[in-house]
Amino acid sequence: LKVATTFFQTAELTTLIKVSWPSIVFFTLPFQLPISDTKCLAASSGWNQLHTFYAYIYGPILIFSVPLLSASGTQPRSSERKKVAGLLTVLISLWYSPLLQTIASMYDCFEDPERENRQFLTSDPSVSCEPSLKRKIVNIHAGVLSLIVGLGFPLLSFLKIWSLRKADKLDFDSSMANLFQFYNTRMPYFETVQFTRKGLLIFVLTWFVDYPEMQATLSLGINGSFLLILSCTRPFVYYPTSNSRRNLFQIAEVSSTITCMIGNALALIASFTASDQSFIDLLGGVMAVMNILYFILFMCRYNSELEKALDREAEWSAGVKVNSNLGAELKDAVGEWNLLVMSLENDDGMEERRRLQIVDEMPFVKSRIVAAMRISLM
């Protein structure tokens, strides 16, 4: 889910490049919600991009308030509070990219010569960009949220995870566990690199340049730099593939980034052929098929590897009785521990670096077992 979410959010940013993409491209991106296209709604219901802007802000805030209110009567350091904090970090992570895109869309304006050269939103010409009380309120919302969510959330996440790493407290009980549980202890804060990548792409595509050729080139450069960092740091925890030497999470993220880069390359080609809409439609069709194929192939490969891992685990632990009364979370945690132990015991050809990485990850998995045991005994 995490890899697929990151892929679709990043792939969606390619559509911000000022190319006349065909509609099929947007239909293959699940984060292109129907509410994001307000032109059709405006004529019949009066809904416009200004309403979309506030909906993307206050809709999620209302959703966030539900778990906050449910945990308001619990003890400050209780497991319920930690669960809520963990849930909120996931929700804000999902909110991050769509929110910044919506904020940026409120500053993409054009001058309309038919209306005395006044400025209006490119995404919705019915909304004025001229100075007014409504515009001031938009500016206040955009400024506050850009500081708190756009800059504050990644920075706070980095500092919190850094302090946990320094104190050797990267365990499953942490409220930040959902942000670092897929990364090894050398790079537990790598999720902030993901946030930075998305933020840079949104800034470049909506604020920095208007020319599609430059937009596509810079997008390709940002994703290429991310791929280089990803390949050099190898930040993901070890989840063995069927040959027991390759990391499934690393393969998934690398292939996701390469797919996004191909999309950037298609956008670059389209930017040089802006006058040929039929060719752009063809490139858009290729991009749409590529997005769908990536998701299907990724899910098939992941499910295949997961089944093989479960088979190897079952073979390794044959004869060991498992209490059927144990909760699902505890069984999953124990299964993850068994998988790591099995990888160490059954592969004599494994690189020493990989062995050390697995050993390094075991304390976190152990903390997950302890946390699951507490839940099952409650």
Side-chain angles (χ1 to χ4, degrees), residues 16 42 135 138 146 198 229 254 268 272 296 306:
L16 296 179
R135 193 65 184 174
V138 168
S146 294
K198 295 174 188 176
I229 294 171
V254 167
L268 182 60
F272 286 108
I296 293 174
L306 183 61

Side-chain angles (χ1 to χ4, degrees), residues 31-184:
F31 288 96
Q32 285 280 359
L33 302 178
I35 197 174
S36 65
D37 187 2
T38 61
K39 295 178 183 178
C40 297
L41 295 170
S44 58
S45 66
W47 185 281
N48 59 35
Q49 186 65 21
L50 194 61
H51 299 113
T52 299
F53 174 69
Y54 290 119
Y56 265 97
I57 293 173
Y58 289 105
I61 288 176
L62 286 174
I63 294 173
F64 299 162
S65 66
V66 174
L68 282 173
L69 290 173
S70 67
S72 59
T74 59
Q75 295 296 323
R77 296 184 179 276
S78 64
S79 60
E80 289 81 4
R81 285 268 179 117
K82 290 178 180 179
K83 280 185 178 181
V84 168
L87 175 61
L88 287 177
T89 58
V90 174
L91 293 176
I92 294 174
S93 302
L94 295 174
W95 188 40
Y96 183 83
S97 182
L99 175 67
L100 294 187
Q101 286 183 71
T102 306
I103 290 174
S105 72
M106 299 304 293
Y107 294 90
D108 183 12
C109 305
F110 73 100
E111 288 187 356
D112 189 350
E114 296 182 0
R115 290 185 280 184
E116 301 176 350
N117 288 326
R118 287 182 295 170
Q119 291 194 333
F120 297 88
L121 286 182
T122 302
S123 59
D124 189 347
S126 69
V127 178
S128 173
C129 296
E130 297 293 319
S132 63
L133 178 60
K134 287 184 178 180
R135 193 65 184 174
K136 287 181 181 178
I137 295 174
V138 168
N139 291 338
I140 292 171
H141 279 79
V144 171
L145 287 167
S146 294
L147 285 174
I148 294 176
V149 180
L151 294 176
F153 181 66
L155 181 60
L156 178 64
S157 300
F158 175 81
L159 294 175
K160 179 66 175 177
I161 295 173
W162 178 275
S163 65
L164 289 172
R165 179 177 180 267
K166 193 173 182 181
D168 197 22
K169 291 183 178 180
L170 289 171
D171 56 56
F172 199 76
D173 260 348
S174 171
S175 60
M176 306 296 290
N178 287 320
L179 292 183
F180 64 73
Q181 64 176 321
F182 295 106
Y183 303 110
N184 56 49

Side-chain angles (χ1 to χ4, degrees), residues 139-338:
N139 291 338
I140 292 171
H141 279 79
V144 171
L145 287 167
S146 294
L147 285 174
I148 294 176
V149 180
L151 294 176
F153 181 66
L155 181 60
L156 178 64
S157 300
F158 175 81
L159 294 175
K160 179 66 175 177
I161 295 173
W162 178 275
S163 65
L164 289 172
R165 179 177 180 267
K166 193 173 182 181
D168 197 22
K169 291 183 178 180
L170 289 171
D171 56 56
F172 199 76
D173 260 348
S174 171
S175 60
M176 306 296 290
N178 287 320
L179 292 183
F180 64 73
Q181 64 176 321
F182 295 106
Y183 303 110
N184 56 49
T185 54
R186 290 181 295 104
M187 294 288 291
Y189 39 77
F190 194 81
E191 193 65 25
T192 59
V193 179
Q194 297 272 25
F195 289 135
T196 303
R197 173 198 182 193
K198 295 174 188 176
L200 278 175
L201 285 169
I202 293 171
F203 174 75
V204 163
L205 295 175
T206 57
W207 293 76
F208 191 65
V209 290
D210 285 329
Y211 303 105
E213 299 88 351
M214 187 61 69
Q215 288 178 321
T217 301
L218 290 175
S219 296
L220 198 57
I222 291 171
N223 282 322
S225 299
F226 176 80
L227 179 62
L228 181 62
I229 294 171
L230 185 66
S231 300
C232 292
T233 59
R234 297 181 178 272
F236 287 94
V237 296
Y238 181 63
Y239 192 96
T241 55
S242 53
N243 62 15
S244 299
R245 295 187 182 184
R246 304 180 68 188
N247 190 341
L248 180 61
F249 291 155
Q250 181 75 13
I251 293 171
E253 192 68 37
V254 167
S255 61
S256 165
T257 306
I258 292 174
T259 305
C260 288
M261 291 178 68
I262 295 173
N264 297 153
L266 292 174
L268 182 60
I269 296 171
S271 67
F272 286 108
T273 58
S275 59
D276 190 351
Q277 186 59 46
S278 60
F279 184 64
I280 293 176
D281 290 344
L282 176 62
L283 293 176
V286 172
M287 186 186 297
V289 171
M290 181 181 66
N291 291 338
I292 295 172
L293 278 178
Y294 170 78
F295 181 70
I296 293 174
L297 292 175
F298 165 71
M299 292 304 298
C300 290
R301 176 68 186 273
Y302 181 79
N303 287 332
S304 173
E305 292 292 347
L306 183 61
E307 289 177 1
K308 290 177 182 177
L310 292 174
D311 290 342
R312 293 197 302 271
E313 181 191 335
E315 182 180 351
W316 180 82
S317 57
V320 178
K321 294 183 179 179
V322 179
N323 189 344
S324 59
N325 295 323
L326 294 180
E329 291 187 22
L330 182 53
K331 286 182 179 179
D332 289 343
V334 172
E336 186 176 351
W337 176 273
N338 288 344

